[in-house]
Each structure stands twice: as C-alpha cells, then as structure tokens.
C-alpha cells in the first residue's frame, strides 16, 4: 500500500490526460498545489517521523515497517531501494503526510463521478493508506489528519476558483446591449 503512493496519482493523471484534458487540468492544478503546500509544511514545521523519534529515544520502540515488510516477502531489492530513498530525502518531511493527502485528493476528486463500488474503493484506499503509514512508523496520526485537511483545503480552493471562472465566462459570453448616444440620452428617445 505504501508504494502505491508513488503510482496511483500518476496513474490517475495519465488516465485523465488520455480521456479528458479538462479534468486532467483540474486534477493537475490540485496535485501541484497540494505538493507545494506539503513542501511549505516541511519547511515551516519539520517534524520527525515515529521511527526517527524512536531511534533518538524520544518515544518507545517503533520499528520502521516498510523495509522490514519487503524483506519478509523476498523483496530485498525493493527494501534496499526504499532504504536508499529514505537516506537521500528530507527525513523530517512528515507534516503533513502527502502519503495520506494524495489518496484523499483522489477520493475528493473522483467520488462525484463514480458509482457505489468506485466510491467504496476510493474510500477504502484512503483509509488503508492512513493505517499503513501510521502502523509502519512513517507518520504520526496528526500528520495524516493534516494531510487530509490540506487535500480538502486545496480541493475546495480550486472548486471555488473554477466555479468563479465558469460564472465569469458565462457572464462574459452573454451579449450585452451596445450603448449608443440615442440609448443613453433620454431626450433622444
């Protein structure tokens, strides 16, 4: 589940790019904005993930479950790749959790256009990712809630902006009467 964070958003973007460029632009705006909000969060509030807090002795023992999980299913190459990634990225980029934010963005964006099974699968994916990042020691629960809040905020922001733009273009497309000297001067009418 953890690794799908790197795949599902990109798969959604590719799907939309091929099928519906308008929706692709809408989702891309949200995805880029959410990524930027996450970056700002990491800069303004660098927080250590649970596994790092455990290594420093701040909290009780928390095992980082992601590399261990891959080694149990004979996926040592993937575990090594994730370990390399962890060592080369910003280790204090935990707040907000983009691992939780992207599934929430997928849920918010796609739920209105999906049937009951699709909505359930989107909701289940969102919840499953939240549980996964917490139980594997990657994020605190507050990081997950912050990620969800960021996704909701970005989605609402773009919904309102797009609605305003649609209202503005509808208003601009309506023909207006042309002002002439005769129509503006009551004495001439």
């Amino acid at each position: 589940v953890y690794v799908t964070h790197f795949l599902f958003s990109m798969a959604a973007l590719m799907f939309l790019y091929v099928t519906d460029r308008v929706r692709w632009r809408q989702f891309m705006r949200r995805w880029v904005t959410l990524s930027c909000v996450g970056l700002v969060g990491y800069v303004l509030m660098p927080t250590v993930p649970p596994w790092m807090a455990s290594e420093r002795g701040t909290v009780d023992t928390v095992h980082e479950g992601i590399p261990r999980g891959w080694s149990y299913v004979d996926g040592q190459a993937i575990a090594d790749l994730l370990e390399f990634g962890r060592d080369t990225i910003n280790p204090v980029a935990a707040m907000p959790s983009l691992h939780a934010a992207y599934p929430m963005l997928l849920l918010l964006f796609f739920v209105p256009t999906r049937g009951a099974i699709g909505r359930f699968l989107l909701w289940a994916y969102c919840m499953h990712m939240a549980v996964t990042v917490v139980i594997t020691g990657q994020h605190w629960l507050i990081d997950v809630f912050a990620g969800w809040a960021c996704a909701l905020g970005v989605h609402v922001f773009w919904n309102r902006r797009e609605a305003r733009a649609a209202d503005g273009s509808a208003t601009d497309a309506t023909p207006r009467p042309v002002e002439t000297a005769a129509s503006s001067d009551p004495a001439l009418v």
Side-chain angles (χ1 to χ4, degrees):
V1 172
Y2 183 82
V3 175
T4 64
H5 160 75
F6 304 102
L7 305 174
F8 281 8
S9 293
M10 292 299 112
L13 282 166
M14 287 188 296
F15 171 77
L16 289 171
Y17 187 80
V18 170
T19 61
D20 187 344
R21 295 286 172 94
V22 172
R23 300 259 304 146
W24 173 79
R25 278 190 222 52
Q26 292 171 338
F27 188 74
M28 180 60 91
R29 284 185 208 116
R30 287 161 176 78
W31 189 84
V32 169
T33 304
L34 183 57
S35 299
C36 292
V37 167
L39 179 62
V40 168
Y42 304 150
V43 169
L44 295 179
M45 191 173 10
T47 57
V48 297
W51 63 265
M52 185 182 284
S54 177
E55 284 180 358
R56 293 179 177 181
T58 309
V59 298
D60 289 336
T61 303
V62 176
H63 296 286
E64 185 179 13
I66 300 301
R68 287 179 51 198
W70 283 106
S71 64
Y72 286 124
V73 293
D74 201 27
Q76 191 56 45
I78 295 172
D80 293 342
L81 181 63
L82 290 170
E83 194 77 27
F84 171 76
R86 184 193 83 178
D87 294 340
T88 58
I89 60 167
N90 182 357
V92 291
M95 172 68 87
S97 169
L98 288 181
H99 277 84
Y102 290 150
M104 178 58 77
L105 183 62
L106 288 168
L107 174 75
L108 294 168
F109 188 79
F110 285 104
V111 155
T113 62
R114 300 291 163 231
I117 293 173
R119 288 192 301 268
F120 173 77
L121 291 174
L122 287 164
W123 177 86
Y125 175 58
C126 189
M127 295 302 115
H128 201 135
M129 182 62 83
V131 169
T132 298
V133 297
V134 171
I135 66 170
T136 57
Q138 300 301 310
H139 289 282
W140 304 100
L141 190 56
I142 190 72
D143 302 340
V144 171
F145 291 150
W148 287 348
C150 290
L152 179 62
V154 165
H155 186 66
V156 167
F157 168 80
W158 280 111
N159 277 352
R160 289 182 178 164
R161 187 160 176 144
E162 290 162 355
R164 262 194 312 247
D167 289 346
S169 65
T171 305
D172 292 343
T174 307
R176 295 184 183 143
V178 178
E179 288 270 334
T180 62
S183 63
S184 62
D185 187 359
L188 296 175
V189 177

